[in-house]
Structures are given as structure tokens and as C-alpha cells.
Amino acid sequence: MATIRVCAERTVEAPAGAVYGYIADMRGHHPHFLPPAFSDFLVESGGVGEGTITRFTVTAGGRTRQYRMKVAEPEPGRILTESDTGSSLVTKTTVTPRGQHVPRADLHDLGRRGRDRRLL
């Protein structure tokens, strides 16, 4: 099956470090900006950045699926990935700073069947 890439961008008027910090903080901040399709969000281990393991349920299109994601930081402070331990789904978040603010935060999923997940 071919991989489909879905991208979304958003301008965030905040310091790049703060935006990345909110995205990487799986305990304190990340669960608060997930869309309603996400439920039962739980941090199994870690909590901030690299090595964190999360579990949650997504209901969309009449289907419900559980995910168990492992967080990696290929470029700490700039790129964070969440990889589903049970499939090929990978969510990649890139924060691209310009000056003191983030003019562009690339928030998108890469993975099986191109399912998009809105992060901000």
C-alpha cells in the first residue's frame, strides 16, 4: 500500500522554544490541544520528549482504534516524532522559528493511509 503524506501548517505567535516545549510535554500540555476524536490519553512512561510512551484511543469515521506511541526527537527543540508501536503510523512535528516567534509550525502525520491528526 502506498504511503500518503498529509501536511498542515499554522503560524503561532510565541517563542519557538515554548511552542516546542508544549508539544513535547505529554503530561502537562499535549493532551489539552488534541481534538475531540482523541480520548483516554495516558502517559505510560516518561512524560517529556524522547522515550516517552503514550496510549490513547481515536474514534473517526465510525471506527475506534487504540494507539501506543513512542516519542523520539531526531532534532531536539525542532523535530518531534511519535511512532505507533503497532503499525507504520508516524506523526512528525516540526517547529521552524523565525526571529523570536514561530512563523511556521509544520504539524502533520506521515503513515499508513495518510490519516491526519491535527495538533494545534
Side-chain angles (χ1 to χ4, degrees):
M1 178 174 286
T3 298
I4 299 171
R5 180 178 176 172
V6 177
C7 297
E9 295 183 7
R10 172 172 274 189
T11 298
V12 179
E13 294 298 327
V19 171
Y20 189 87
Y22 290 136
I23 293 167
D25 184 352
M26 300 294 165
R27 280 194 197 277
H29 294 287
H30 197 92
H32 300 290
F33 54 77
L34 294 174
F38 288 72
S39 62
D40 304 322
F41 189 91
L42 173 71
V43 175
E44 287 186 1
S45 64
V48 178
E50 183 83 30
T52 297
I53 304 288
T54 62
R55 182 182 302 269
F56 53 86
T57 302
V58 175
T59 301
R63 294 183 182 180
T64 298
R65 185 183 186 286
Q66 292 186 341
Y67 292 88
R68 185 172 186 264
M69 307 293 275
K70 182 172 184 177
V71 175
E73 292 183 275
E75 291 183 43
R78 181 172 138 65
I79 298 175
L80 182 138
T81 62
E82 297 171 80
S83 300
D84 183 27
T85 61
S87 75
S88 62
L89 177 70
V90 177
T91 299
K92 178 181 177 186
T93 303
T94 302
V95 176
T96 305
R98 186 174 298 155
Q100 294 181 342
H101 293 87
V102 180
R104 195 176 98 191
D106 298 326
L107 310 172
H108 55 268
D109 277 354
L110 303 174
R112 212 174 99 226
R113 299 188 185 138
R115 294 199 171 103
D116 186 27
R117 184 172 112 183
R118 182 175 164 228
L119 294 177
L120 289 175

